[in-house]
Amino acid sequence: MSAAAQIGVTGLAVMGRNLARNFARHGYTVAVHNRSYAKTRSLVADHGDEGTFVASESMGDFVASLERPRKVVIMVKAGGPTDAVIAELVPLLEEGDIVIDAGNAHFPDTIRRERELAAHGLHFVGSGVSGGEEGALNGPSIMPGGSRESYTVLGPILEDISAKVDGTPCCTYIGPDGAGHFVKMVHNGIEYADMQLIAEAYDLLKQGLGASAAEIGQIFADWNTGDLESFLIEITAEVLAHVDAATGRAFVDVVADRAEQKGTGRWTVQNALDLGVPITGIAEATFARALSGSTPQRSAAVGVLPAHTSTWDVTDRDAFIEDVRLALYASKVVAYSQGFDQIAAASAEFGWDIDRGAMARIWRGGCIIRARFLNRITEAYERTPDLPLLLADEYFTGAVGNGVAAWRRIVASAAQNGVPVPAFSSSLAYYDGVRAERLPANLIQAQRDFFGAHTYARTDRPGTFHTEWTLDRTETAQ
């Protein structure tokens, strides 16, 4: 078999299939392989007219069909299946070849794999790909990590097939080893928060106004013409307008209220705990999904736990809708701000040197969290590349400040009326916490010193101190 293909894809489920088609549509000769050869044949039979595919039944033939340096994209299930494919590939590859894991891998696995393949003289690229099936086919946001040398070879191809915004590719080099998959993980964490906030806004409009799904869908459609314009707001309007064919009812009203998850939200929260970064909106969104699936606990509580709620009487419909919109916008900004803080902390921890402005730029198109206000985030980091807090940027200080009063009204009303808004309320609490001149952590630290001699710092002089609480309570410098 002649080495004709410029890039290869192994793993031809929907995402892999669409990514291979995307490469082919952009003029690349694409080697394709799947454990089941029937899927390989199907791809060529159904979409062979979109470009040039080189189909292989065996992994050996697949590798042999690639020009050097070989560029192999793995699109299989994360974890063990990915390791199995890598183990099969490595003996067939040669020094300088590039292996790209474009699935949702956990970044510590990517760090390990990069180190293992480097020992064989191979480049391993852990690349986040966002945009779902449509993005993979028509232009995703791509977040590749790995060596800069590998990006020199691979980058132009990935930039070519990525989404474009104002002519700029939604793809850039992220950083070494696990940086690409880390950024994709945080992207997904922000996505969790974004989706939960939208769901809470929907619930507020439903409970406060007694509005139908179709009416709320129109509200979201209106919001999508302004500052909230985004892919998630757009599809929310469409979902809410959809009518179930079987029952004639609003589609959302026949969908079970149990949200599932594949793990990236949990990984984001676990890593934030390791780094000591408060990502309260993302954490509450993740826990909200867990709560939605806690069927035994919810069944035990319904009709049993007292509510003591007041009667929700919205007297000004338009004002209430505007309050929800402003609270949603402010809470979304907090979620993104927290996510970018986590990226900065990990970048420092692992020596990745990630450009946060570039992350905002490549998220403007192709990906699930693409939104108009990512342009504002890009501009904020262009003004101040080492910005310590996105909320402190002049634009976001004004934009969020504009909605604080509405935000407080919404969270207070929700609490009084028994409507759970964990992401709205935790985001507001974070906002108040980060802007507070003094927090009650002084008492916590004093308690820690009392029971565990953990020491404390003082406000009036430098140093670390301990009080002899069980003796004469004298203070000593440590």
Side-chain angles (χ1 to χ4, degrees):
M1 181 178 292
S2 60
Q6 294 154 291
I7 194 160
V9 179
T10 179
L12 300 177
V14 177
M15 286 290 289
R17 186 183 181 94
N18 283 2
L19 203 59
R21 292 172 60 195
N22 191 352
F23 285 124
R25 288 176 171 189
H26 281 80
Y28 299 99
T29 300
V30 187
V32 288
H33 169 267
N34 193 75
R35 186 175 59 177
S36 162
Y37 190 51
K39 281 193 174 181
T40 310
R41 289 198 308 266
S42 168
L43 169 62
V44 176
D46 295 344
H47 305 289
D49 59 343
E50 295 181 343
T52 305
F53 297 99
V54 179
S56 296
E57 187 167 3
S58 72
M59 187 67 84
D61 285 348
F62 171 67
V63 170
S65 72
L66 290 160
E67 66 181 25
R68 296 201 58 200
R70 300 179 183 91
K71 298 170 283 294
V72 180
V73 179
I74 299 174
M75 291 296 289
V76 301
K77 189 175 179 181
T82 299
D83 282 325
V85 172
I86 292 172
E88 189 178 359
L89 270 173
V90 166
L92 303 173
L93 299 176
E94 299 175 85
E95 187 173 342
D97 288 348
I98 304 169
V99 178
I100 306 104
D101 175 9
N104 270 334
H106 198 193
F107 80 93
D109 288 339
T110 304
I111 293 174
R112 168 180 58 81
R113 291 166 181 153
E114 196 273 341
R115 184 172 59 245
E116 291 170 352
L117 267 66
H120 294 278
L122 303 172
H123 296 283
F124 185 75
V125 174
S127 181
V129 177
S130 178
E133 300 171 17
E134 182 183 347
L137 181 62
N138 298 317
S141 175
I142 309 178
M143 297 152 256
S147 67
R148 281 197 175 273
E149 183 182 352
S150 66
Y151 193 78
T152 300
V153 176
L154 184 65
I157 300 175
L158 297 183
E159 290 178 13
D160 194 17
I161 69 156
S162 72
K164 309 293 187 302
V165 175
D166 300 328
T168 302
C170 293
C171 173
T172 192
Y173 175 69
I174 306 298
D177 52 67
H181 274 145
F182 181 89
V183 165
K184 176 56 163 57
M185 178 190 77
V186 175
H187 163 285
N188 284 23
I190 293 171
E191 179 185 309
Y192 273 51
D194 213 341
M195 293 173 72
Q196 176 65 25
L197 289 165
I198 290 170
E200 290 177 16
Y202 150 76
D203 201 25
L204 286 162
L205 295 169
K206 180 180 179 181
Q207 305 285 357
L209 301 177
S212 67
E215 290 169 333
I216 300 170
Q218 185 55 57
I219 292 169
F220 274 93
D222 293 341
W223 286 352
N224 199 48
T225 63
D227 289 338
L228 281 172
E229 180 191 352
S230 68
F231 172 71
L232 285 171
I233 295 288
E234 175 189 340
I235 67 169
T236 298
E238 291 194 29
V239 167
L240 289 169
H242 183 55
V243 175
D244 177 53
T247 63
R249 298 171 59 195
F251 173 70
V252 289
D253 292 340
V254 299
V255 175
D257 63 339
R258 295 187 300 274
E260 298 183 0
Q261 51 186 308
K262 290 189 174 179
T264 47
R266 285 196 300 270
W267 291 345
T268 307
V269 176
Q270 288 163 350
N271 172 260
L273 290 170
D274 291 338
L275 294 172
V277 179
I279 56 165
T280 54
I282 296 170
E284 287 295 350
T286 306
F287 288 130
R289 291 198 188 188
L291 177 62
S292 75
S294 299
T295 304
Q297 292 84 357
R298 292 180 63 193
S299 297
V302 171
V304 175
L305 298 185
H308 298 296
T309 55
S310 54
T311 301
W312 205 337
D313 183 20
V314 175
T315 56
D316 189 330
R317 184 179 187 275
D318 291 342
F320 180 76
I321 292 171
E322 178 64 3
D323 274 3
V324 175
R325 185 189 73 82
L326 289 168
L328 175 57
Y329 186 79
S331 298
K332 281 164 67 81
V333 172
V334 166
Y336 282 75
S337 183
Q338 292 177 345
F340 279 102
D341 282 351
Q342 185 173 3
I343 290 171
S347 181
E349 175 76 13
F350 297 105
W352 287 334
D353 194 26
I354 296 175
D355 179 349
R356 288 174 292 169
M359 299 309 95
R361 188 167 62 250
I362 67 171
W363 288 348
R364 293 181 303 164
C367 72
I368 303 301
I369 63 171
R370 61 185 182 267
R372 177 188 292 189
F373 84 150
L374 280 161
N375 285 311
R376 298 292 193 177
I377 296 176
T378 303
E379 292 164 4
Y381 287 115
E382 285 174 350
R383 282 191 290 272
T384 315
D386 59 349
L387 185 66
L389 178 72
L390 183 62
L391 286 165
D393 174 76
E394 58 187 25
Y395 170 78
F396 289 108
T397 298
V400 175
N402 239 0
V404 169
W407 203 1
R408 297 193 191 286
R409 285 192 295 268
I410 288 299
V411 170
S413 294
Q416 289 170 340
N417 292 281
V419 177
V421 287
F424 271 50
S425 56
S426 65
S427 298
L428 178 58
Y430 171 85
Y431 177 85
D432 282 334
V434 79
R435 70 171 190 84
E437 288 188 25
R438 190 161 170 81
L439 293 168
N442 53 334
L443 177 58
I444 294 170
Q445 197 60 18
Q447 291 169 333
R448 293 181 74 244
D449 187 60
F450 191 110
F451 65 68
H454 293 297
T455 74
Y456 52 88
R458 295 178 60 96
T459 61
D460 54 357
R461 59 181 183 272
T464 303
F465 303 89
H466 167 61
T467 292
E468 299 292 346
W469 295 101
T470 58
L471 299 174
D472 60 1
R473 301 203 173 186
T474 56
E475 181 181 75
T476 56
Q478 301 298 297

